[in-house]
Amino acid sequence: MFLPKMKKGLLLLGMFLMLVSCGEYQKVLKSAEPGEKYALAEKLYNEAQAENSKSKYRKALRLFEQIVPQYRGKPQGEKLTFLFANTYYQLGDHYLAGYQFERFTQSYPNSERIEEAAFKSAKSYYELSPRYDLDQTETVKAIDELQKYIVTYPEGENIQEANQLATELRVKLEKKAYEIAKQYHHTENYKSAIVAFTNFINEYPGSPFREAAFYHRFDSAYQLAINSYQYLQKERLTEAQGFYNNYIRFYSEGSPYYNQIQASNLDLETRLQNF
């Protein structure tokens, strides 16, 4: 009997404290006193961090939004601006987090938290990067921001992660360029494929898609040649043979495309002998 009553009492007490807390929050939210809002916002922010509470971050954010302009240029402004940006970051609003951290780094270049802000700004833009087959404007922006961090803080606390994220985004851009070229190949638009693969090879010399690009450029030239009118074949077969030689310069037996390219080249040489 006693335990159920005690549990019920604790539940009622918790509900009462919650109502009191909500009432206090609404009162401060409507208050004209910025000092009260600052104190409660910071309290809620600290509790949110300790409890990993999204609801408390959201409450703190509503207060921060009201008072940030009032504290700009004041001693509390630096801390408040950082907390404001970081609240967006913790809530996963990466667009506004990136923007606010960027403003922080511009407004407080001598802050003790400048490196953290610079990294979180860059990482926010990284989080906005879409999958490779969509428009990559945000990806380019993220790479630029990460590169700024890497150059400015070569010994920074987050340098390893920054390099990893930047590499991941560069590979995403490479994949998009490679897939565009490959689409030309698959749709038998071989002239455009040759140009696209050549541009890819020149632009991304260290890409993980480089060998595939060398092979598909050769295959595009080979397919273009064998499907051409006879008077065009010799010139195009010779061009394809040049692309074969390019592949062999860099890749040897055991490479994924080696057997395929050797078989095609054997046919290519036979056709050239007929001329």
Side-chain angles (χ1 to χ4, degrees), residues 114-178:
I114 187 72
E115 183 196 334
E116 182 183 355
F119 175 72
K120 284 186 172 178
S121 175
K123 190 170 181 180
S124 295
Y125 289 116
Y126 161 85
E127 295 290 353
L128 291 171
S129 173
R131 65 177 196 260
Y132 79 89
D133 54 331
L134 299 176
D135 179 76
Q136 295 300 305
T137 301
E138 298 291 353
T139 303
V140 173
K141 169 73 172 173
I143 291 172
D144 288 343
E145 293 301 313
L146 285 163
Q147 196 59 41
K148 282 182 197 173
Y149 174 84
I150 291 164
V151 170
T152 309
Y153 305 101
E155 305 296 326
E157 183 180 342
N158 300 290
I159 191 66
Q160 187 174 347
E161 186 177 0
N163 277 308
Q164 179 185 332
L165 297 179
T167 298
E168 183 183 323
L169 294 181
R170 289 191 192 101
V171 171
K172 186 185 287 189
L173 291 182
E174 292 166 15
K175 184 171 177 62
K176 183 178 179 70
Y178 170 75

Side-chain angles (χ1 to χ4, degrees), residues 238-256:
T238 303
E239 182 184 33
Q241 194 168 53
F243 292 143
Y244 164 81
N245 291 331
N246 289 152
Y247 178 93
I248 293 301
R249 272 177 58 201
F250 297 103
Y251 306 103
S252 58
E253 190 172 357
S255 295

Side-chain angles (χ1 to χ4, degrees), residues 58-206:
R58 281 190 283 271
K59 283 185 174 182
L61 182 62
R62 289 186 67 190
L63 293 166
F64 285 142
E65 287 172 337
Q66 291 184 359
I67 59 175
V68 163
Q70 298 176 56
Y71 281 96
R72 199 161 285 136
K74 295 181 179 179
Q76 304 97 318
E78 179 184 331
K79 182 179 181 181
L80 181 60
T81 304
F82 183 89
L83 297 184
F84 183 45
N86 203 43
T87 302
Y88 279 124
Y89 186 84
Q90 297 300 332
L91 287 170
D93 190 337
H94 300 297
Y95 181 81
L96 287 173
Y99 172 72
Q100 292 298 338
F101 274 125
E102 202 169 357
R103 288 192 67 182
F104 178 87
T105 59
Q106 292 167 357
S107 302
Y108 304 101
N110 299 317
S111 171
E112 291 181 357
R113 308 195 78 168
I114 187 72
E115 183 196 334
E116 182 183 355
F119 175 72
K120 284 186 172 178
S121 175
K123 190 170 181 180
S124 295
Y125 289 116
Y126 161 85
E127 295 290 353
L128 291 171
S129 173
R131 65 177 196 260
Y132 79 89
D133 54 331
L134 299 176
D135 179 76
Q136 295 300 305
T137 301
E138 298 291 353
T139 303
V140 173
K141 169 73 172 173
I143 291 172
D144 288 343
E145 293 301 313
L146 285 163
Q147 196 59 41
K148 282 182 197 173
Y149 174 84
I150 291 164
V151 170
T152 309
Y153 305 101
E155 305 296 326
E157 183 180 342
N158 300 290
I159 191 66
Q160 187 174 347
E161 186 177 0
N163 277 308
Q164 179 185 332
L165 297 179
T167 298
E168 183 183 323
L169 294 181
R170 289 191 192 101
V171 171
K172 186 185 287 189
L173 291 182
E174 292 166 15
K175 184 171 177 62
K176 183 178 179 70
Y178 170 75
E179 291 294 340
I180 289 171
K182 199 173 174 184
Q183 188 63 25
Y184 287 132
H185 177 273
H186 284 347
T187 56
E188 300 181 4
N189 187 350
Y190 295 124
K191 286 184 179 179
S192 295
I194 292 166
V195 172
F197 281 122
T198 299
N199 290 339
F200 178 89
I201 290 165
N202 292 334
E203 191 171 348
Y204 304 110

Side-chain angles (χ1 to χ4, degrees), residues 10-26 43-44 51 55-56 59:
L10 289 172
L11 181 62
L12 290 171
L13 178 61
M15 290 174 65
F16 173 75
L17 291 174
M18 190 183 298
L19 288 170
V20 170
S21 174
C22 288
E24 178 195 4
Y25 175 74
Q26 291 299 327
K43 176 176 177 288
L44 287 166
E51 302 167 17
S55 63
K56 287 191 175 181
K59 283 185 174 182

